[in-house]
């Protein structure tokens, strides 16, 4: 699964889009902030500036 490069300010949207794809294709057990960061081409800590943990990401998806 490849991700389009993002520009500053778009990481949150990229993470949400990728998380939705992972959930649809591989299920909740495959969802990981670290893996989403890798797929987005950012450091493994970068998603934490938008989501404190996986549950916060899932909450944002549910909204």
């Amino acid at each position: 699964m490849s991700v389009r490069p993002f520009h500053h300010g778009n990481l949150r949207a990229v993470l949400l889009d990728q998380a939705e794809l992972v959930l649809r294709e591989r299920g909740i057990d495959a969802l990981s902030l670290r893996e989403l960061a890798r797929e987005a081409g950012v450091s493994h800590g970068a998603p934490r500036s938008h989501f404190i943990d996986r549950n916060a990401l899932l909450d944002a998806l549910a909204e």
Side-chain angles (χ1 to χ4, degrees):
M1 178 182 323
S2 66
V3 177
R4 296 179 310 271
F6 70 93
H7 55 82
H8 187 318
N10 199 26
L11 180 57
R12 186 177 195 279
V14 169
L15 294 171
L16 288 170
D17 288 346
Q18 282 304 109
E20 185 175 356
L21 287 173
V22 168
L23 287 172
R24 288 177 192 261
E25 294 175 0
R26 296 183 270 158
I28 197 165
D29 290 336
L31 186 64
S32 142
L33 288 176
R34 186 177 288 260
E35 182 63 20
L36 291 175
R38 188 189 66 74
E39 291 176 5
V42 298
S43 73
H44 66 86
R48 297 226 182 252
S49 63
H50 300 283
F51 307 104
I52 189 75
D53 59 17
R54 185 173 85 153
N55 286 334
L57 173 67
L58 289 169
D59 288 345
L61 278 173
E63 289 181 358

